[in-house]
Amino acid sequence: MQRLIEVFIKFREGKYPERIPLFHELATKQEPGTLFVTCSDSRVVPEFITQSEPGDMFVIRNAGNIIPSFGPHHGGVSATVEYAVAVLGVADIVVCGHSDCGAMTAIANDADLSALPAVSSWLHHADAAKAINDAHSHSCKSGKVAGMVRENVIAQIANLRTHPSVALALSDGRVRLHGWVYDIGEGSIQVYDASSGRFVDLVEYPKANVTSLATAA
């Protein structure tokens, strides 16, 4: 905690004065272009990975970068998605999984989560991804986890489409969807390409799925 306080003091005395016009502009409005949904994992920092400025991204973080399907029991994720799309008018939504994800590891390995009832219940939102991943053959445990991470990104994008605000924005061509997997050790991102049904390197395919994933049925 002391380190956090010391870093804030440095920010207040150093970085903040350098960016006063930006912070004054952001004090009364925000116009983020992207809704970024990722895991709560401390190793995944979306603003750092994308080198984003304050105000650039509206961010949702939770265990397993999960987006529950739209339903009668609305939660914080659904409310945040709706606000980002219907009020802020974000043009892009990124669902970003990552390597060595604890949540996906637990699902892939059928971990006993009886002592964590809230976590266990929450991860059922990835049941569709688990069913698909379990149906595939994997050469090793790490491969099964990596497959689970990828399938979960695809499944959460499918869940995202069930939200009325997103469905309407997609129909009007106002939003694009993107599925990413961030490799912590390599510093790389794999992006889901709907046209080929596979994940490809974002550096090599920077425009993969931007159109097809947004308009696919």
Side-chain angles (χ1 to χ4, degrees):
M1 191 64 207
Q2 186 59 37
R3 186 188 68 82
L4 295 181
I5 295 171
E6 291 172 357
V7 170
F8 169 72
I9 293 172
K10 289 182 180 179
F11 161 76
R12 178 62 186 168
E13 295 178 349
K15 295 296 183 180
Y16 175 78
E18 296 173 2
R19 311 298 299 280
I20 284 177
L22 172 62
F23 288 111
H24 281 187
E25 180 181 356
L26 293 175
T28 56
K29 68 175 183 178
Q30 61 169 327
E31 297 176 337
T34 301
L35 169 61
F36 199 98
V37 184
T38 194
C39 189
S40 297
D41 194 296
S42 62
R43 300 165 295 177
V44 180
V45 184
E47 294 86 355
F48 183 75
I49 296 168
T50 62
Q51 293 293 282
S52 295
E53 287 285 291
D56 286 349
M57 295 197 303
F58 207 59
V59 179
I60 296 174
R61 300 189 66 165
N62 61 56
N65 41 275
I66 283 171
I67 304 165
S69 298
F70 190 82
H73 304 294
H74 308 310
V77 174
S78 296
T80 305
V81 168
E82 185 174 80
Y83 187 81
V85 176
V87 178
L88 297 178
V90 296
D92 295 278
I93 304 176
V94 178
V95 178
C96 183
H98 68 94
S99 61
D100 194 44
C101 178
M104 296 304 108
T105 299
I107 295 173
N109 294 336
D110 295 310
D112 180 6
L113 298 176
S114 57
L116 301 169
V119 172
S120 179
S121 177
W122 177 250
L123 294 185
H124 279 303
H125 292 295
D127 281 351
K130 175 175 170 53
I132 294 172
N133 196 52
D134 284 351
H136 295 163
S137 59
H138 304 280
S139 60
C140 58
K141 284 188 175 182
S142 62
K144 188 176 183 180
V145 172
M148 186 65 212
V149 170
R150 294 191 295 269
E151 293 298 341
N152 183 57
V153 167
I154 297 170
Q156 300 314 318
I157 289 175
N159 287 350
L160 188 61
R161 292 175 179 277
T162 68
H163 291 250
S165 59
V166 176
L168 177 60
L170 285 170
S171 177
D172 292 343
R174 292 184 283 107
V175 72
R176 296 172 294 248
L177 307 182
H178 312 269
W180 289 7
V181 172
Y182 170 60
D183 188 298
I184 296 170
E186 297 296 326
S188 62
I189 290 174
Q190 296 285 307
V191 57
Y192 181 67
D193 177 42
S195 62
S196 65
R198 64 192 182 96
F199 282 83
V200 296
D201 186 84
L202 181 60
V203 173
E204 295 182 21
Y205 299 91
K207 295 184 179 180
N209 83 10
V210 169
T211 300
S212 57
L213 186 56
T215 57

